[in-house]
Amino acid sequence: MAEHAEKNTLETTIANLTDEREDGTDNTQPDSAYTPVFSKQVRTVVYVLGLIASCVGLGFMTFGDAAVGGYISTVAGFIASGLGVAYNPLRNA
């Protein structure tokens, strides 16, 4: 194996990342740095409406026009993800 390849193995990279995390020298921000743009109530409403729209889209795909149902489901997902809404039961904020 070439000399330059020996120094940059996967194990070395993982060890370096682990060391940085343990030292606190990694560049991740603390959890308190995350501030949601929307309140919990707005995120919940957007999530529930997106879920309902996805179910309506599934109904269209199953019993009606598949193209319309696919469009409804896709747009519902885009709107929810665009607003930063995701189901995450472990999220604190």
Side-chain angles (χ1 to χ4, degrees):
M1 200 147 100
E3 185 177 319
H4 67 279
E6 290 178 22
K7 295 179 184 176
N8 194 11
T9 63
L10 180 60
E11 291 85 11
T12 305
T13 304
I14 292 172
N16 290 341
L17 291 173
T18 304
D19 291 342
E20 289 175 359
R21 181 67 177 172
E22 290 171 356
D23 296 2
T25 58
D26 60 343
N27 57 4
T28 58
Q29 297 181 359
D31 294 335
S32 61
Y34 172 73
T35 305
V37 176
F38 301 103
S39 68
K40 290 181 183 181
Q41 291 82 11
V42 171
R43 290 194 311 260
T44 301
V45 168
V46 170
Y47 177 77
V48 170
L49 290 177
L51 181 63
I52 291 170
S54 293
C55 292
V56 169
L58 178 63
F60 269 98
M61 285 193 286
T62 305
F63 303 110
D65 188 1
V68 172
Y71 179 78
I72 292 170
S73 295
T74 303
V75 169
F78 282 158
I79 291 172
S81 65
L83 294 175
V85 176
Y87 175 71
N88 185 356
L90 301 177
R91 179 182 285 174
N92 294 329

